[in-house]
Amino acid sequence: MPRDMRLQERIQKLREFWRQERRVPVYAEMLDLFGYKSKNAVFGLLKRLEEEGYVTRDSKGRMAFLPKLTGTVRLLGSIAAGFPTPEEEQAADATTLDDYLVRNPDRTFMLTVRGDSMMDAGILPGDIVLVEKGPSPAQRDIVVARVDDEWTLKYYVRDAAGVRLEPANRKYRFIRPRQSLEIGGVVRAVIRKYA
Amino acid sequence: MPRDMRLQERIQKLREFWRQERRVPVYAEMLDLFGYKSKNAVFGLLKRLEEEGYVTRDSKGRMAFLPKLTGTVRLLGSIAAGFPTPEEEQAADATTLDDYLVRNPDRTFMLTVRGDSMMDAGILPGDIVLVEKGPSPAQRDIVVARVDDEWTLKYYVRDAAGVRLEPANRKYRFIRPRQSLEIGGVVRAVIRKYA
DNA sequence: TTGCGCGGTGAACTCTCGTTCAGTTATGAT
DNA sequence: ATCATAACTGAACGAGAGTTCACCGCGCAA
């Protein structure tokens, strides 16, 4: 059996273990995970995995899996580039959606969208927005704002007259808040999950 | 200092540790993480965290953090329901986007959308689709299909005459594949990340 | 004030974990 | 076929892990 194939198989075992247990297996567990009989074999394998960027160790030698191992999706190119062959799939590094989408975990929330005020921006009712609380919005950021005692999504636009909130839907007109403008947060991502 | 507040602070420390190290801290590390002087204090705290569903143990007592601790986003209600008070935020359980969006990690890929064939379904150029390879598409699933030697997104529709691929854009007409229809995978989610 | 319980200290202990070393077997290139 | 190197076995070791136990002190209610 070729060397690289065996390695990939073992990495696959580690992925499965991680998904089930949410932790790094101890040597004893890796023994029967890989079919080894000696802990030193595990030791050697881990050294290779470290070289290839699947695991790290802290200053005291404690191990942790990296996203290359724990990731749930592989990042490929564009759709036009075509669908990947199995080899290309293997080559593509895995990543986690959390790392990809969330910068400030403690301030980020998922909210379900109601209403069609941002339809023209591709945000449909039922979609989920990732909202970061706290930062002051930049020009044309989409924000969660209180308008007429009701929370909605709007573009945040600063102009000569102050701040105005623009919908992305021709049915509605923009709004210029009278006094206090309450901003819940800034939309960092939109997620639509099918079925 | 009230009991629950201290607990929340400590949970927060654990979250930070997890984000940095991607593993469960050992007792010694928790000692100065929490400012304890005795390992038994850590032992007691972990028992509480287990009762409250933040950590699990396997049959041999090995610990793992649960999504309630490792999660990056909190799932709130709808936007119309308003923005949460700090107490409501605390009450909302954290979750990971990976668990939320990906069912079959080994078969799921991220692809960047090129072209406007699905614009009316809220899928814009530059968006990212999560594609699951393998499953046979259900009626009106969005699929990655090869059309005229080029990969695109289309609705998959089975009708009396066989299979047809429908765009979500009035500019284009549906397509009925002559012989072989190549399906790359089924779109399970759409993601749009700002800036 | 007394008594109780929670939350903590400190020390002792056991056992498992990761590492090391010497030696053996398998693998793949020449 | 030969040989160097990588992969693995088996045993031994030492450190560090988590657990347990005895005890303490503070807040709080009776």
Side-chain angles (χ1 to χ4, degrees):
Chain A
M1 203 188 301
R3 158 187 159 121
D4 279 2
M5 193 173 126
R6 267 178 308 178
L7 184 63
Q8 282 303 325
E9 274 177 19
R10 277 153 190 173
I11 290 170
Q12 189 53 31
K13 296 272 190 186
L14 289 178
R15 278 194 231 275
E16 287 164 16
F17 188 94
W18 177 266
R19 273 168 216 150
Q20 281 207 5
E21 306 288 333
R22 298 193 163 274
R23 60 179 174 82
V24 177
V26 298
Y27 276 45
E29 288 167 326
M30 294 199 222
L31 275 188
D32 43 276
L33 215 53
F34 302 141
Y36 284 146
K37 293 186 176 178
S38 166
K39 286 201 282 181
N40 185 38
V42 175
F43 186 72
L45 179 65
L46 287 174
K47 213 160 59 184
R48 278 197 64 196
L49 290 177
E50 196 182 350
E51 284 163 7
E52 308 210 5
Y54 289 98
V55 308
T56 356
R57 289 171 187 273
D58 67 1
S59 58
K60 287 199 177 142
R62 287 181 276 246
M63 288 195 320
F65 284 171
L66 292 176
K68 196 171 173 181
L69 235 170
T70 61
T72 61
V73 288
R74 290 171 208 277
L75 184 46
L76 303 174
S78 74
I79 287 184
F83 220 72
T85 62
E87 299 84 54
E88 287 170 327
E89 286 177 15
Q90 279 297 350
D93 266 6
T95 181
T96 73
L97 292 172
D98 295 278
D99 291 353
Y100 183 72
L101 291 175
V102 181
R103 287 210 195 143
N104 290 302
D106 297 320
R107 296 187 202 155
T108 303
F109 304 91
M110 286 171 69
L111 285 172
T112 304
V113 176
R114 301 246 175 273
D116 55 1
S117 68
M118 293 303 283
M119 277 197 75
D120 294 344
I123 303 180
L124 313 181
D127 285 1
I128 285 165
V129 284
L130 254 52
V131 180
E132 186 181 346
K133 207 175 171 178
S136 54
Q139 193 72 283
R140 291 204 70 78
D141 272 358
I142 299 173
V143 297
V144 182
R146 198 212 290 265
V147 173
D148 295 333
D149 233 36
E150 209 177 287
W151 291 92
T152 51
L153 293 178
K154 294 280 183 298
Y155 282 119
Y156 179 92
V157 182
R158 217 178 320 235
D159 59 16
V163 171
R164 70 171 194 273
L165 298 173
E166 273 187 15
N169 189 331
R170 280 170 282 272
K171 283 183 4 195
Y172 308 117
R173 270 184 56 75
F174 74 83
I175 285 154
R176 197 172 291 280
R178 301 173 207 289
Q179 50 257 17
S180 72
L181 168 59
E182 199 172 349
I183 299 286
V186 177
V187 174
R188 294 303 188 198
V190 179
I191 292 170
R192 186 176 311 128
K193 189 184 171 188
Y194 294 107
Chain B
M1 203 189 300
R3 159 188 160 120
D4 280 2
M5 193 174 127
R6 268 178 306 177
L7 184 63
Q8 283 302 325
E9 274 176 20
R10 279 155 188 172
I11 289 170
Q12 190 53 31
K13 296 271 189 186
L14 289 178
R15 279 193 231 276
E16 286 164 15
F17 188 94
W18 176 266
R19 273 167 217 151
Q20 282 206 6
E21 306 287 334
R22 298 195 163 273
R23 61 178 174 82
V24 177
V26 297
Y27 275 46
E29 288 167 327
M30 295 199 221
L31 275 187
D32 42 276
L33 214 54
F34 302 140
Y36 285 145
K37 294 185 176 179
S38 166
K39 287 202 282 180
N40 185 38
V42 175
F43 185 73
L45 180 64
L46 287 176
K47 213 160 57 180
R48 279 196 62 197
L49 290 178
E50 197 182 349
E51 285 163 7
E52 307 210 5
Y54 289 97
V55 308
T56 356
R57 290 172 186 272
D58 68 0
S59 57
K60 287 198 176 142
R62 296 185 195 103
M63 286 194 322
F65 284 172
L66 292 176
K68 196 170 173 181
L69 236 171
T70 61
T72 61
V73 289
R74 289 171 209 277
L75 183 46
L76 303 174
S78 73
I79 287 184
F83 221 72
T85 62
E87 299 85 54
E88 288 169 327
E89 286 176 16
Q90 280 297 351
D93 266 6
T95 181
T96 73
L97 292 172
D98 295 278
D99 291 353
Y100 184 71
L101 291 176
V102 182
R103 288 210 194 144
N104 290 301
D106 297 320
R107 297 186 202 155
T108 303
F109 304 90
M110 286 172 69
L111 284 172
T112 304
V113 176
R114 300 248 175 272
D116 55 1
S117 69
M118 295 301 284
M119 277 196 74
D120 294 345
I123 304 180
L124 313 180
D127 285 1
I128 285 164
V129 284
L130 254 53
V131 179
E132 186 181 346
K133 206 175 172 178
S136 53
Q139 193 71 283
R140 292 203 71 78
D141 272 358
I142 299 173
V143 296
V144 182
R146 197 211 291 265
V147 173
D148 295 334
D149 233 36
E150 211 177 285
W151 291 93
T152 51
L153 293 178
K154 293 282 183 296
Y155 283 118
Y156 179 92
V157 183
R158 216 178 321 234
D159 59 15
V163 171
R164 69 171 196 273
L165 298 173
E166 274 186 14
N169 190 331
R170 279 169 284 271
K171 283 184 1 197
Y172 307 117
R173 271 185 55 76
F174 72 83
I175 286 154
R176 197 172 291 280
R178 301 172 208 291
Q179 49 257 17
S180 71
L181 169 60
E182 200 172 348
I183 301 285
V186 177
V187 173
R188 294 301 189 199
V190 180
I191 292 170
R192 185 176 310 127
K193 189 184 171 188
Y194 295 106

